[in-house]
Amino acid sequence: MTASYVRREERLIYSTCTINPAENIENVTLVFKRIFRKFVLDPIADRLCSTLQNSVEEAGCLQLLPGIHKSDGFFIARFGKNKRIEKG
Protein backbone atom coordinates (compact mmCIF):
# COMPACT_ATOMS: atom_id res chain seq x y z
CA MET A 1 0.00 0.00 0.00
CA THR A 2 1.21 3.46 -0.74
CA ALA A 3 -0.07 6.87 0.23
CA SER A 4 0.08 8.01 -3.38
CA TYR A 5 -3.12 6.08 -4.16
CA VAL A 6 -5.14 8.32 -1.87
CA ARG A 7 -5.67 11.91 -2.97
CA ARG A 8 -5.50 14.73 -0.45
CA GLU A 9 -9.28 15.20 -0.21
CA GLU A 10 -10.04 11.47 -0.10
CA ARG A 11 -10.14 9.18 2.92
CA LEU A 12 -8.74 5.74 3.64
CA ILE A 13 -10.94 3.33 5.59
CA TYR A 14 -9.39 0.46 7.52
CA SER A 15 -12.01 -2.07 8.56
CA THR A 16 -12.10 -5.56 10.03
CA CYS A 17 -14.87 -7.96 10.93
CA THR A 18 -13.44 -8.83 14.32
CA ILE A 19 -13.31 -7.51 17.87
CA ASN A 20 -9.66 -8.58 18.29
CA PRO A 21 -7.65 -5.55 19.48
CA ALA A 22 -4.50 -6.88 17.77
CA GLU A 23 -6.20 -6.58 14.40
CA ASN A 24 -7.98 -3.34 15.21
CA ILE A 25 -6.69 -0.52 17.40
CA GLU A 26 -3.24 -2.09 17.74
CA ASN A 27 -2.87 -2.11 13.95
CA VAL A 28 -3.97 1.50 13.83
CA THR A 29 -1.29 2.36 16.39
CA LEU A 30 1.52 0.18 15.09
CA VAL A 31 1.03 0.31 11.34
CA PHE A 32 -0.63 3.59 10.53
CA LYS A 33 0.84 5.82 13.22
CA ARG A 34 4.41 4.50 12.85
CA ILE A 35 4.78 3.21 9.29
CA PHE A 36 2.18 5.01 7.18
CA ARG A 37 2.67 8.37 8.85
CA LYS A 38 1.28 10.13 5.80
CA PHE A 39 -2.13 9.30 7.28
CA VAL A 40 -3.76 10.54 10.46
CA LEU A 41 -7.01 9.51 12.09
CA ASP A 42 -9.84 11.58 10.71
CA PRO A 43 -12.91 12.22 12.90
CA ILE A 44 -15.65 9.73 12.19
CA ALA A 45 -18.41 10.61 14.67
CA ASP A 46 -20.01 13.24 12.43
CA ARG A 47 -20.42 10.57 9.75
CA LEU A 48 -22.31 8.17 12.03
CA CYS A 49 -25.92 7.93 13.11
CA SER A 50 -26.60 9.36 16.57
CA THR A 51 -26.87 5.85 18.04
CA LEU A 52 -23.24 5.08 17.14
CA GLN A 53 -21.67 8.46 17.84
CA ASN A 54 -21.27 7.63 21.53
CA SER A 55 -19.36 4.45 20.64
CA VAL A 56 -16.38 6.29 19.13
CA GLU A 57 -13.55 5.66 21.58
CA GLU A 58 -10.70 7.34 19.72
CA ALA A 59 -11.36 10.05 17.14
CA GLY A 60 -11.56 8.22 13.85
CA CYS A 61 -12.20 4.72 15.27
CA LEU A 62 -15.39 2.80 15.89
CA GLN A 63 -15.63 -0.66 17.45
CA LEU A 64 -18.98 -2.43 17.06
CA LEU A 65 -19.64 -5.18 19.58
CA PRO A 66 -22.12 -8.05 19.46
CA GLY A 67 -24.80 -7.71 22.08
CA ILE A 68 -24.35 -3.96 22.31
CA HIS A 69 -24.78 -2.70 18.76
CA LYS A 70 -27.18 -5.35 17.41
CA SER A 71 -24.44 -6.37 15.00
CA ASP A 72 -21.52 -8.72 14.61
CA GLY A 73 -18.11 -7.42 15.70
CA PHE A 74 -16.63 -4.83 13.37
CA PHE A 75 -13.92 -2.21 13.58
CA ILE A 76 -13.66 0.89 11.41
CA ALA A 77 -10.92 3.52 11.32
CA ARG A 78 -11.06 6.56 9.05
CA PHE A 79 -7.83 8.22 7.90
CA GLY A 80 -7.03 11.37 5.98
CA LYS A 81 -3.74 12.63 4.61
CA ASN A 82 -1.39 14.18 7.15
CA LYS A 83 -1.20 17.75 5.85
CA ARG A 84 1.98 18.49 7.82
CA ILE A 85 3.90 15.70 6.08
CA GLU A 86 2.39 16.45 2.65
CA LYS A 87 3.56 20.06 2.77
CA GLY A 88 6.98 19.27 4.14
Side-chain angles (χ1 to χ4, degrees):
M1 184 183 122
T2 179
S4 63
Y5 290 119
V6 181
R7 294 184 185 137
R8 174 181 270 182
E9 65 279 358
E10 294 177 338
R11 300 295 178 259
L12 172 71
I13 302 294
Y14 173 75
S15 180
T16 67
C17 56
T18 180
I19 60 171
N20 184 341
E23 292 184 48
N24 299 334
I25 195 66
E26 290 176 21
N27 268 346
V28 166
T29 301
L30 295 173
V31 177
F32 288 98
K33 289 186 178 179
R34 293 186 185 165
I35 298 171
F36 295 117
R37 293 186 352 208
K38 288 190 176 188
F39 293 99
V40 292
L41 283 170
D42 197 39
I44 196 171
D46 63 335
R47 303 287 182 175
L48 300 171
C49 66
S50 59
T51 305
L52 294 178
Q53 287 177 351
N54 294 334
S55 297
V56 174
E57 293 181 11
E58 182 171 342
C61 297
L62 173 68
Q63 177 72 67
L64 299 178
L65 299 168
I68 294 175
H69 297 104
K70 299 179 184 177
S71 165
D72 290 338
F74 290 98
F75 176 82
I76 302 164
R78 182 176 189 240
F79 292 90
K81 286 281 189 102
N82 187 338
K83 293 175 184 150
R84 282 190 245 155
I85 290 178
E86 278 224 332
K87 288 181 181 179

Coordinates of all heavy atoms in Angstrom, one line a residue:
M1 N 0.8 -1.2 0.0 CA 0.0 0.0 0.0 C 0.9 1.2 0.0 O 1.9 1.3 0.6 CB -0.9 0.0 1.2 CG -1.8 1.1 1.3 SD -2.8 1.1 2.8 CE -2.3 2.7 3.4
T2 N 0.5 2.2 -0.7 CA 1.2 3.5 -0.7 C 0.3 4.6 -0.6 O -0.8 4.6 -1.1 CB 2.1 3.5 -2.0 OG1 2.8 4.8 -2.0 CG2 1.2 3.5 -3.3
A3 N 0.8 5.7 0.0 CA -0.1 6.9 0.2 C -0.4 7.6 -1.1 O -1.4 8.3 -1.1 CB 0.7 7.8 1.1
S4 N 0.3 7.3 -2.1 CA 0.1 8.0 -3.4 C -1.2 7.6 -4.0 O -1.7 8.3 -4.9 CB 1.2 7.8 -4.4 OG 1.3 6.4 -4.7
Y5 N -1.8 6.5 -3.6 CA -3.1 6.1 -4.2 C -4.3 6.9 -3.6 O -5.4 6.8 -4.1 CB -3.4 4.6 -3.9 CG -2.5 3.7 -4.7 CD1 -1.6 2.8 -4.1 CD2 -2.5 3.7 -6.1 CE1 -0.8 2.0 -4.8 CE2 -1.7 2.9 -6.8 CZ -0.8 2.0 -6.2 OH 0.0 1.2 -6.9
V6 N -4.1 7.6 -2.5 CA -5.1 8.3 -1.9 C -4.9 9.8 -2.1 O -3.9 10.3 -1.6 CB -5.2 8.0 -0.4 CG1 -6.3 8.8 0.3 CG2 -5.4 6.5 -0.1
R7 N -5.8 10.5 -2.7 CA -5.7 11.9 -3.0 C -5.9 12.7 -1.7 O -6.5 12.2 -0.7 CB -6.7 12.4 -4.0 CG -6.4 11.8 -5.4 CD -7.4 12.4 -6.4 NE -7.2 11.7 -7.6 CZ -8.2 11.3 -8.4 NH1 -9.4 11.5 -8.1 NH2 -7.9 10.7 -9.6
R8 N -5.4 13.9 -1.7 CA -5.5 14.7 -0.4 C -6.9 14.8 0.1 O -7.1 14.7 1.3 CB -5.0 16.1 -0.8 CG -5.2 17.1 0.4 CD -4.7 18.4 0.1 NE -3.3 18.4 0.5 CZ -2.5 19.5 0.4 NH1 -3.0 20.6 -0.1 NH2 -1.3 19.4 0.8
E9 N -7.9 15.0 -0.7 CA -9.3 15.2 -0.2 C -10.0 13.9 0.0 O -11.1 13.9 0.6 CB -10.1 16.1 -1.2 CG -10.3 15.4 -2.6 CD -9.1 15.5 -3.5 OE1 -8.1 16.2 -3.2 OE2 -9.2 15.0 -4.6
E10 N -9.4 12.8 -0.3 CA -10.0 11.5 -0.1 C -9.7 10.9 1.3 O -8.8 11.4 1.9 CB -9.6 10.5 -1.2 CG -10.1 10.9 -2.6 CD -9.6 10.0 -3.7 OE1 -8.6 9.3 -3.5 OE2 -10.3 10.0 -4.7
R11 N -10.4 9.8 1.6 CA -10.1 9.2 2.9 C -9.8 7.7 2.7 O -10.2 7.1 1.7 CB -11.4 9.3 3.8 CG -11.8 10.7 4.1 CD -10.7 11.4 5.0 NE -11.1 12.8 5.3 CZ -10.6 13.8 4.6 NH1 -9.7 13.7 3.6 NH2 -10.9 15.0 5.0
L12 N -9.1 7.2 3.6 CA -8.7 5.7 3.6 C -9.5 5.1 4.8 O -9.4 5.6 5.9 CB -7.2 5.6 3.8 CG -6.7 4.1 4.0 CD1 -6.9 3.4 2.7 CD2 -5.3 4.1 4.5
I13 N -10.2 4.0 4.5 CA -10.9 3.3 5.6 C -10.2 2.0 5.8 O -10.0 1.2 4.9 CB -12.4 3.1 5.2 CG1 -13.1 4.4 4.9 CG2 -13.1 2.3 6.2 CD1 -13.3 5.3 6.1
Y14 N -9.9 1.7 7.1 CA -9.4 0.5 7.5 C -10.5 -0.2 8.3 O -11.0 0.4 9.3 CB -8.1 0.7 8.4 CG -7.6 -0.6 9.0 CD1 -7.0 -1.6 8.2 CD2 -7.8 -0.9 10.4 CE1 -6.5 -2.7 8.8 CE2 -7.4 -2.1 10.9 CZ -6.7 -3.0 10.1 OH -6.3 -4.2 10.7
S15 N -10.9 -1.4 7.9 CA -12.0 -2.1 8.6 C -11.7 -3.6 8.7 O -11.1 -4.2 7.8 CB -13.3 -1.8 7.7 OG -14.4 -2.5 8.3
T16 N -12.2 -4.1 9.8 CA -12.1 -5.6 10.0 C -13.4 -6.1 10.5 O -14.3 -5.3 11.0 CB -11.0 -5.9 11.1 OG1 -11.5 -5.4 12.4 CG2 -9.7 -5.4 10.7
C17 N -13.6 -7.3 10.4 CA -14.9 -8.0 10.9 C -14.5 -8.8 12.2 O -14.8 -10.0 12.2 CB -15.6 -8.8 9.8 SG -14.5 -10.0 9.1
T18 N -13.9 -8.2 13.1 CA -13.4 -8.8 14.3 C -13.5 -7.8 15.5 O -13.5 -6.6 15.3 CB -12.0 -9.4 14.2 OG1 -11.6 -10.1 15.4 CG2 -11.0 -8.4 13.9
I19 N -13.4 -8.4 16.7 CA -13.3 -7.5 17.9 C -11.9 -7.7 18.5 O -11.7 -7.2 19.6 CB -14.4 -7.8 18.9 CG1 -14.3 -9.3 19.4 CG2 -15.8 -7.5 18.3 CD1 -15.3 -9.6 20.6
N20 N -11.0 -8.3 17.8 CA -9.7 -8.6 18.3 C -8.8 -7.3 18.3 O -8.5 -6.8 17.2 CB -9.0 -9.6 17.4 CG -7.6 -10.0 17.9 OD1 -7.0 -9.3 18.6 ND2 -7.2 -11.2 17.4
P21 N -8.4 -6.8 19.4 CA -7.7 -5.5 19.5 C -6.4 -5.6 18.7 O -5.9 -4.6 18.1 CB -7.3 -5.3 21.0 CG -8.4 -6.2 21.7 CD -8.7 -7.3 20.8
A22 N -5.7 -6.8 18.5 CA -4.5 -6.9 17.8 C -4.7 -6.6 16.3 O -3.8 -6.1 15.6 CB -3.9 -8.3 17.9
E23 N -5.9 -6.9 15.8 CA -6.2 -6.6 14.4 C -6.8 -5.2 14.2 O -6.9 -4.7 13.1 CB -7.2 -7.6 13.8 CG -6.6 -9.0 13.7 CD -7.5 -10.0 13.1 OE1 -8.1 -9.6 12.0 OE2 -7.7 -11.1 13.6
N24 N -7.2 -4.6 15.3 CA -8.0 -3.3 15.2 C -7.1 -2.2 15.7 O -6.3 -1.7 15.0 CB -9.3 -3.5 16.0 CG -10.2 -4.5 15.4 OD1 -10.1 -4.9 14.2 ND2 -11.0 -5.1 16.2
I25 N -7.4 -1.7 16.9 CA -6.7 -0.5 17.4 C -5.2 -0.7 17.5 O -4.4 0.3 17.2 CB -7.3 -0.1 18.8 CG1 -6.9 1.4 19.1 CG2 -6.9 -1.0 19.9 CD1 -7.4 2.4 18.1
E26 N -4.7 -1.9 17.7 CA -3.2 -2.1 17.7 C -2.6 -1.9 16.3 O -1.5 -1.4 16.2 CB -2.9 -3.5 18.3 CG -3.2 -3.5 19.8 CD -2.9 -4.9 20.4 OE1 -2.2 -5.7 19.9 OE2 -3.5 -5.1 21.5
N27 N -3.3 -2.4 15.3 CA -2.9 -2.1 13.9 C -2.9 -0.6 13.6 O -2.0 -0.1 13.0 CB -3.7 -2.9 12.9 CG -3.1 -4.2 12.6 OD1 -2.0 -4.5 12.9 ND2 -3.9 -5.0 11.9
V28 N -3.9 0.1 14.1 CA -4.0 1.5 13.8 C -2.7 2.2 14.5 O -2.1 3.0 13.9 CB -5.3 2.1 14.4 CG1 -5.2 3.6 14.5 CG2 -6.5 1.7 13.6
T29 N -2.4 1.8 15.7 CA -1.3 2.4 16.4 C 0.0 2.0 15.8 O 0.9 2.8 15.4 CB -1.3 1.9 17.9 OG1 -2.6 2.4 18.4 CG2 -0.2 2.6 18.6
L30 N 0.2 0.7 15.6 CA 1.5 0.2 15.1 C 1.8 0.5 13.6 O 2.8 0.9 13.2 CB 1.6 -1.3 15.4 CG 1.7 -1.7 16.8 CD1 1.6 -3.2 16.9 CD2 2.9 -1.2 17.5
V31 N 0.8 0.2 12.8 CA 1.0 0.3 11.3 C 0.8 1.7 10.8 O 1.7 2.3 10.3 CB 0.1 -0.7 10.6 CG1 0.3 -0.5 9.1 CG2 0.4 -2.1 11.0
F32 N -0.3 2.3 11.1 CA -0.6 3.6 10.5 C 0.1 4.7 11.2 O 0.6 5.7 10.6 CB -2.1 3.8 10.5 CG -2.8 3.0 9.5 CD1 -3.4 1.8 9.8 CD2 -2.8 3.3 8.1 CE1 -4.1 1.0 8.9 CE2 -3.4 2.6 7.2 CZ -4.1 1.4 7.6
K33 N 0.2 4.7 12.5 CA 0.8 5.8 13.2 C 2.4 5.8 13.1 O 3.0 6.8 13.3 CB 0.4 5.9 14.7 CG -1.1 6.3 14.8 CD -1.4 6.5 16.3 CE -2.8 7.0 16.4 NZ -3.2 7.2 17.8
R34 N 2.9 4.6 12.9 CA 4.4 4.5 12.9 C 5.0 4.3 11.5 O 6.0 4.8 11.1 CB 4.9 3.4 13.8 CG 4.6 3.7 15.2 CD 5.2 2.6 16.1 NE 4.8 2.9 17.5 CZ 4.9 2.0 18.4 NH1 5.4 0.8 18.2 NH2 4.6 2.3 19.7
I35 N 4.3 3.5 10.6 CA 4.8 3.2 9.3 C 4.2 4.1 8.2 O 4.9 4.8 7.5 CB 4.5 1.7 9.0 CG1 5.3 0.8 10.0 CG2 5.0 1.4 7.5 CD1 4.9 -0.6 9.9
F36 N 2.9 4.2 8.2 CA 2.2 5.0 7.2 C 1.8 6.4 7.8 O 0.7 6.7 8.0 CB 0.9 4.3 6.7 CG 1.2 3.1 5.9 CD1 0.7 1.9 6.4 CD2 1.9 3.1 4.7 CE1 1.0 0.7 5.7 CE2 2.2 2.0 4.0 CZ 1.7 0.7 4.5
R37 N 2.9 7.1 8.2 CA 2.7 8.4 8.9 C 2.1 9.5 8.0 O 1.8 10.5 8.4 CB 4.0 8.8 9.5 CG 4.4 7.9 10.6 CD 5.6 8.4 11.3 NE 6.2 9.5 10.7 CZ 7.5 9.8 10.8 NH1 8.3 9.1 11.5 NH2 8.0 10.9 10.2
K38 N 1.9 9.2 6.7 CA 1.3 10.1 5.8 C -0.2 10.2 6.1 O -0.9 11.0 5.5 CB 1.5 9.8 4.3 CG 3.0 10.1 3.9 CD 3.1 10.0 2.4 CE 4.5 10.4 2.1 NZ 4.7 10.5 0.6
F39 N -0.7 9.3 6.9 CA -2.1 9.3 7.3 C -2.3 9.6 8.8 O -1.5 9.2 9.6 CB -2.7 7.9 7.0 CG -2.8 7.6 5.5 CD1 -1.9 6.8 4.9 CD2 -3.8 8.1 4.7 CE1 -1.9 6.5 3.6 CE2 -3.9 7.8 3.4 CZ -2.9 7.0 2.8
V40 N -3.4 10.3 9.1 CA -3.8 10.5 10.5 C -5.2 10.2 10.6 O -6.0 10.2 9.7 CB -3.5 12.0 10.8 CG1 -2.1 12.4 10.9 CG2 -4.3 12.9 9.9
L41 N -5.6 9.8 11.8 CA -7.0 9.5 12.1 C -7.8 10.7 11.8 O -7.5 11.9 12.2 CB -7.2 9.1 13.5 CG -6.8 7.6 13.8 CD1 -6.8 7.4 15.3 CD2 -7.7 6.7 13.1
D42 N -8.9 10.5 11.1 CA -9.8 11.6 10.7 C -11.1 11.4 11.5 O -11.7 10.3 11.5 CB -10.1 11.5 9.2 CG -10.6 12.7 8.6 OD1 -10.2 13.8 9.0 OD2 -11.5 12.6 7.7
P43 N -11.7 12.4 12.1 CA -12.9 12.2 12.9 C -14.0 11.5 12.1 O -14.2 11.7 11.0 CB -13.3 13.7 13.2 CG -12.1 14.4 13.2 CD -11.2 13.8 12.1
I44 N -14.6 10.6 12.8 CA -15.7 9.7 12.2 C -17.1 10.0 12.8 O -18.1 9.7 12.1 CB -15.3 8.2 12.3 CG1 -16.1 7.4 11.3 CG2 -15.4 7.7 13.7 CD1 -15.6 5.9 11.3
A45 N -17.1 10.5 14.0 CA -18.4 10.6 14.7 C -19.5 11.4 13.9 O -20.6 11.0 13.8 CB -18.2 11.3 16.0
D46 N -19.0 12.4 13.2 CA -20.0 13.2 12.4 C -20.6 12.5 11.2 O -21.5 13.0 10.6 CB -19.4 14.6 12.0 CG -18.2 14.4 11.1 OD1 -17.5 13.4 11.1 OD2 -17.9 15.4 10.4
R47 N -20.0 11.4 10.9 CA -20.4 10.6 9.8 C -21.3 9.4 10.2 O -21.8 8.6 9.4 CB -19.2 10.0 9.0 CG -18.2 11.0 8.5 CD -18.8 11.7 7.4 NE -17.9 12.7 6.8 CZ -18.1 13.4 5.8 NH1 -19.2 13.3 5.1 NH2 -17.2 14.2 5.4
L48 N -21.6 9.3 11.5 CA -22.3 8.2 12.0 C -23.7 8.6 12.5 O -23.9 9.8 12.8 CB -21.6 7.6 13.2 CG -20.2 7.0 13.0 CD1 -19.5 6.7 14.3 CD2 -20.2 5.9 12.0
C49 N -24.6 7.6 12.6 CA -25.9 7.9 13.1 C -25.7 8.2 14.6 O -24.7 7.9 15.2 CB -26.9 6.8 12.9 SG -26.4 5.3 13.8
S50 N -26.7 8.9 15.2 CA -26.6 9.4 16.6 C -26.4 8.2 17.5 O -25.8 8.3 18.6 CB -27.8 10.2 17.0 OG -29.0 9.5 16.8
T51 N -27.0 7.0 17.2 CA -26.9 5.9 18.0 C -25.4 5.4 18.2 O -25.0 4.9 19.2 CB -27.7 4.7 17.5 OG1 -29.1 5.1 17.3 CG2 -27.7 3.5 18.4
L52 N -24.6 5.5 17.1 CA -23.2 5.1 17.1 C -22.2 6.1 17.6 O -21.1 5.8 17.9 CB -22.9 4.5 15.8 CG -23.6 3.3 15.3 CD1 -23.1 2.8 13.9 CD2 -23.4 2.1 16.3
Q53 N -22.6 7.4 17.5 CA -21.7 8.5 17.8 C -21.0 8.3 19.2 O -19.9 8.6 19.4 CB -22.3 9.8 17.7 CG -22.6 10.2 16.3 CD -23.3 11.5 16.1 OE1 -23.8 12.1 17.1 NE2 -23.4 12.0 14.9
N54 N -21.8 7.8 20.2 CA -21.3 7.6 21.5 C -20.3 6.4 21.6 O -19.7 6.3 22.7 CB -22.4 7.5 22.5 CG -23.2 8.7 22.7 OD1 -22.7 9.8 22.4 ND2 -24.5 8.6 23.0
S55 N -20.2 5.6 20.6 CA -19.4 4.4 20.6 C -18.0 4.7 20.1 O -17.1 3.9 20.1 CB -20.0 3.3 19.8 OG -21.2 2.9 20.4
V56 N -17.7 5.9 19.6 CA -16.4 6.3 19.1 C -15.5 6.5 20.3 O -15.7 7.3 21.2 CB -16.4 7.6 18.3 CG1 -15.0 8.0 17.9 CG2 -17.3 7.4 17.1
E57 N -14.4 5.6 20.4 CA -13.5 5.7 21.6 C -12.3 6.5 21.3 O -11.9 7.2 22.2 CB -13.1 4.3 22.0 CG -14.3 3.4 22.5 CD -13.9 2.0 22.9 OE1 -12.6 1.8 23.0 OE2 -14.8 1.2 23.1
E58 N -11.8 6.5 20.1 CA -10.7 7.3 19.7 C -11.1 8.0 18.4 O -11.7 7.4 17.6 CB -9.4 6.5 19.5 CG -8.3 7.4 19.1 CD -6.9 6.6 19.0 OE1 -6.9 5.5 19.6 OE2 -6.0 7.1 18.4
A59 N -10.9 9.3 18.3 CA -11.4 10.1 17.1 C -10.9 9.3 15.9 O -9.8 9.0 15.7 CB -10.8 11.5 17.1
G60 N -11.9 8.9 15.1 CA -11.6 8.2 13.8 C -11.8 6.7 13.9 O -11.7 6.0 12.9
C61 N -12.0 6.2 15.1 CA -12.2 4.7 15.3 C -13.5 4.4 15.9 O -14.0 5.0 16.8 CB -11.1 4.2 16.2 SG -9.5 4.3 15.5
L62 N -14.1 3.3 15.4 CA -15.4 2.8 15.9 C -15.3 1.3 16.0 O -14.9 0.6 15.1 CB -16.5 3.1 14.9 CG -17.9 2.5 15.2 CD1 -18.5 3.1 16.5 CD2 -18.9 2.8 14.1
Q63 N -15.6 0.8 17.2 CA -15.6 -0.7 17.4 C -17.1 -1.1 17.7 O -17.7 -0.6 18.7 CB -14.8 -1.0 18.7 CG -14.8 -2.5 19.0 CD -14.1 -3.4 18.0 OE1 -12.9 -3.3 17.9 NE2 -14.8 -4.2 17.3
L64 N -17.6 -1.9 16.9 CA -19.0 -2.4 17.1 C -18.9 -3.8 17.8 O -18.1 -4.6 17.4 CB -19.7 -2.6 15.7 CG -19.9 -1.3 14.9 CD1 -20.6 -1.6 13.6 CD2 -20.7 -0.3 15.7
L65 N -19.7 -4.0 18.8 CA -19.6 -5.2 19.6 C -21.0 -5.9 19.6 O -22.0 -5.3 19.7 CB -19.3 -4.8 21.0 CG -17.9 -4.1 21.2 CD1 -17.8 -3.6 22.6 CD2 -16.8 -5.1 20.9
P66 N -20.9 -7.3 19.4 CA -22.1 -8.0 19.5 C -22.8 -7.9 20.8 O -22.1 -7.7 21.8 CB -21.6 -9.5 19.3 CG -20.2 -9.4 18.9 CD -19.7 -8.1 19.2
G67 N -24.1 -7.8 20.8 CA -24.8 -7.7 22.1 C -25.0 -6.3 22.5 O -25.8 -6.0 23.4
I68 N -24.2 -5.4 22.0 CA -24.4 -4.0 22.3 C -24.9 -3.2 21.1 O -25.8 -2.4 21.3 CB -23.0 -3.3 22.7 CG1 -22.5 -4.0 24.0 CG2 -23.1 -1.8 22.9 CD1 -21.2 -3.6 24.5
H69 N -24.4 -3.5 19.9 CA -24.8 -2.7 18.8 C -25.7 -3.4 17.8 O -25.9 -3.0 16.7 CB -23.5 -2.3 18.0 CG -22.6 -1.4 18.8 ND1 -21.5 -1.8 19.4 CD2 -22.8 -0.1 19.1 CE1 -20.9 -0.8 20.0 NE2 -21.7 0.2 19.9
K70 N -26.3 -4.6 18.3 CA -27.2 -5.3 17.4 C -26.5 -5.7 16.1 O -27.1 -5.5 15.0 CB -28.5 -4.6 17.2 CG -29.3 -4.4 18.5 CD -30.5 -3.6 18.2 CE -31.2 -3.3 19.5 NZ -32.4 -2.5 19.4
S71 N -25.3 -6.1 16.2 CA -24.4 -6.4 15.0 C -23.4 -7.4 15.4 O -23.2 -7.7 16.5 CB -23.8 -5.0 14.6 OG -22.7 -5.2 13.7
D72 N -22.7 -7.9 14.4 CA -21.5 -8.7 14.6 C -20.4 -7.8 15.0 O -20.6 -6.5 15.0 CB -21.1 -9.5 13.3 CG -22.1 -10.6 13.0 OD1 -22.8 -11.1 13.9 OD2 -22.1 -11.0 11.8
G73 N -19.2 -8.3 15.3 CA -18.1 -7.4 15.7 C -17.4 -6.8 14.5 O -17.1 -7.6 13.6
F74 N -17.3 -5.5 14.5 CA -16.6 -4.8 13.4 C -15.8 -3.7 14.0 O -16.1 -3.2 15.0 CB -17.6 -4.2 12.4 CG -18.4 -5.2 11.6 CD1 -19.6 -5.6 11.9 CD2 -17.8 -5.7 10.4 CE1 -20.3 -6.5 11.2 CE2 -18.5 -6.7 9.7 CZ -19.8 -7.0 10.0
F75 N -14.8 -3.3 13.2 CA -13.9 -2.2 13.6 C -13.7 -1.4 12.3 O -13.5 -1.9 11.2 CB -12.5 -2.7 14.1 CG -11.6 -1.6 14.4 CD1 -11.7 -0.9 15.6 CD2 -10.6 -1.2 13.5 CE1 -10.8 0.1 15.9 CE2 -9.8 -0.1 13.8 CZ -9.9 0.5 15.0
I76 N -13.8 0.0 12.5 CA -13.7 0.9 11.4 C -12.8 2.0 11.9 O -13.0 2.6 12.9 CB -15.0 1.5 11.0 CG1 -16.0 0.3 10.6 CG2 -14.8 2.5 9.8 CD1 -17.4 0.8 10.5
A77 N -11.8 2.4 11.1 CA -10.9 3.5 11.3 C -10.9 4.3 10.0 O -10.8 3.8 8.9 CB -9.5 3.1 11.7
R78 N -11.0 5.6 10.2 CA -11.1 6.6 9.0 C -9.8 7.4 9.1 O -9.5 8.1 10.1 CB -12.3 7.4 9.1 CG -12.5 8.4 8.0 CD -13.8 9.1 8.1 NE -14.2 9.8 7.0 CZ -14.3 11.2 7.0 NH1 -14.2 11.8 8.1 NH2 -14.6 11.8 5.8
F79 N -9.1 7.5 8.0 CA -7.8 8.2 7.9 C -7.9 9.3 6.8 O -8.5 9.0 5.8 CB -6.6 7.3 7.6 CG -6.3 6.4 8.7 CD1 -6.9 5.1 8.7 CD2 -5.4 6.7 9.6 CE1 -6.6 4.2 9.7 CE2 -5.1 5.8 10.6 CZ -5.7 4.6 10.7
G80 N -7.2 10.4 7.0 CA -7.0 11.4 6.0 C -5.5 11.6 5.8 O -4.7 11.1 6.7
K81 N -5.2 12.3 4.8 CA -3.7 12.6 4.6 C -3.2 13.6 5.7 O -3.9 14.5 6.1 CB -3.5 13.3 3.3 CG -3.6 12.4 2.1 CD -2.4 11.6 1.9 CE -2.4 10.8 0.6 NZ -1.6 11.4 -0.4
N82 N -2.0 13.3 6.2 CA -1.4 14.2 7.2 C -0.9 15.4 6.4 O 0.1 15.4 5.7 CB -0.3 13.4 7.8 CG 0.3 14.2 9.0 OD1 0.2 15.4 9.1 ND2 1.0 13.5 9.9
K83 N -1.5 16.5 6.6 CA -1.2 17.7 5.9 C 0.2 18.3 6.2 O 0.9 18.9 5.4 CB -2.3 18.8 6.1 CG -3.6 18.4 5.5 CD -4.7 19.4 5.9 CE -6.0 18.8 5.3 NZ -7.1 19.2 6.1
R84 N 0.6 18.0 7.4 CA 2.0 18.5 7.8 C 3.1 17.8 7.0 O 4.0 18.4 6.6 CB 2.2 18.3 9.3 CG 1.5 19.3 10.2 CD 2.0 19.2 11.6 NE 0.8 18.8 12.3 CZ 0.8 18.2 13.5 NH1 2.0 17.8 14.0 NH2 -0.3 17.9 14.1
I85 N 2.9 16.5 6.8 CA 3.9 15.7 6.1 C 3.8 16.0 4.6 O 4.8 16.1 3.9 CB 3.7 14.2 6.4 CG1 4.2 13.9 7.8 CG2 4.5 13.4 5.4 CD1 4.0 12.5 8.2
E86 N 2.6 16.2 4.1 CA 2.4 16.5 2.7 C 3.1 17.7 2.2 O 3.6 17.9 1.2 CB 0.9 16.5 2.3 CG 0.3 15.2 2.1 CD -0.6 15.2 0.9 OE1 -1.2 16.3 0.6 OE2 -0.8 14.1 0.3
K87 N 3.0 18.8 3.1 CA 3.6 20.1 2.8 C 5.1 20.1 2.9 O 5.8 20.8 2.2 CB 3.0 21.2 3.7 CG 1.6 21.5 3.4 CD 1.1 22.6 4.3 CE -0.4 22.9 4.0 NZ -0.9 23.9 4.9
G88 N 5.6 19.2 3.8 CA 7.0 19.3 4.1 C 7.7 18.3 3.4 O 8.9 18.2 3.1

